[in-house]
Amino acid sequence: MTGITYTVTLQEEEARRRLDALLDRMDRPRGFYKNVGEYLLNSAMDNFDAERDPDGIPWDRLRPKSIQRREDKGLTPIRILRARGRLAGSLNYVATDEEARIGSNLPYAAIHQLGGEIRVPERTSMIHQHYDAKSDTFDPKFRRKSRANFSREVTIKAHTINMPKRSYLGLPKDGDESIISIAREWLDED
């Protein structure tokens, strides 16, 4: 996965010991890790639905400019990290006999999970507008090339975009116990 992969380690030492003891009893733990992968995937989808991180902290709201841009493009209802649903739809997991990994192969997955700065270099671009010869004015809105009668090259200065952290991967608060329960169920120990 080239975008981001998330590795889960149980934080509580007692929970780790209990899980290790259960894993030692499994001949082929791939099925167990597959169930853990499903659990992590469902947890991530719950985070997208609730627009919060695994600890239950709400994601930063969208800026008014972002909301306006989405409305202009008809991308409603306005949902954080779900303009088209590609990021949430790209999440998957891989289960082996040794681990379960969850992640996304989208190149922008990591910046949303971790937050950070995106440095955009200076570049040139073509803009397309409509020119009204009668009034000798330009329509201030940019258009598609096919709907414009005037084009020009412009320079867009280098700039930085600050992307807020909106974690969607991770164990919820009760995650350690849920994984131990999955191991017990796998061993039919309930």
Side-chain angles (χ1 to χ4, degrees):
M1 294 178 222
T2 59
I4 188 167
T5 302
Y6 189 80
T7 304
V8 173
T9 303
L10 299 185
Q11 296 302 311
E12 186 183 316
E13 189 173 328
E14 174 61 25
R16 270 198 319 260
R17 272 200 313 271
R18 288 170 40 208
L19 181 60
D20 287 342
L22 292 168
L23 285 170
D24 287 343
R25 295 175 42 205
M26 294 181 193
D27 293 328
R28 289 174 300 221
R30 182 174 302 200
F32 159 71
Y33 283 118
K34 183 178 178 188
N35 290 351
V36 170
E38 284 290 330
Y39 169 75
L40 294 172
L41 186 60
N42 289 335
S43 175
M45 297 312 291
D46 290 346
N47 294 334
F48 274 99
D49 290 341
E51 298 182 349
R52 60 168 166 71
D53 72 13
D55 293 327
I57 299 168
W59 291 337
D60 287 355
R61 307 310 316 154
L62 293 173
R63 294 178 316 161
K65 188 176 182 180
S66 298
I67 293 170
Q68 184 62 50
R69 230 183 329 224
R70 287 195 188 175
E71 287 173 344
D72 292 346
K73 292 180 180 180
L75 299 173
T76 55
I78 306 295
R79 301 287 315 247
I80 301 173
L81 296 186
R82 289 192 119 166
R84 291 185 173 88
R86 291 182 188 141
L87 180 57
S90 74
L91 295 180
N92 60 65
Y93 68 90
V94 175
T96 67
D97 282 337
E98 297 167 6
E99 66 180 359
R101 289 180 293 153
I102 183 170
S104 167
N105 62 353
L106 293 178
Y108 55 84
I111 194 72
H112 288 296
Q113 172 75 17
L114 305 171
E117 288 186 348
I118 302 170
R119 292 192 178 103
V120 183
E122 184 175 289
R123 66 189 191 281
T124 59
S125 183
M126 292 295 285
I127 61 169
H128 310 287
Q129 294 175 287
H130 181 75
Y131 173 70
D132 185 350
K134 289 181 186 176
S135 64
D136 193 31
T137 59
F138 285 102
D139 183 342
K141 290 189 177 183
F142 300 129
R143 299 173 179 244
R144 291 188 180 137
K145 185 177 181 179
S146 62
R147 304 182 106 209
N149 63 1
F150 182 82
S151 299
R152 62 183 161 152
E153 189 172 87
V154 296
T155 300
I156 301 167
K157 293 182 180 180
H159 59 281
T160 301
I161 299 169
N162 291 310
M163 187 66 66
K165 177 180 176 180
R166 294 186 176 115
S167 298
Y168 48 89
L169 299 175
L171 270 182
K173 291 177 184 172
D174 63 346
D176 289 5
E177 287 304 316
S178 295
I179 290 175
I180 290 170
S181 291
I182 292 168
R184 285 192 176 130
E185 287 174 22
W186 182 250
L187 290 168
D188 291 318
E189 221 184 60
D190 275 343

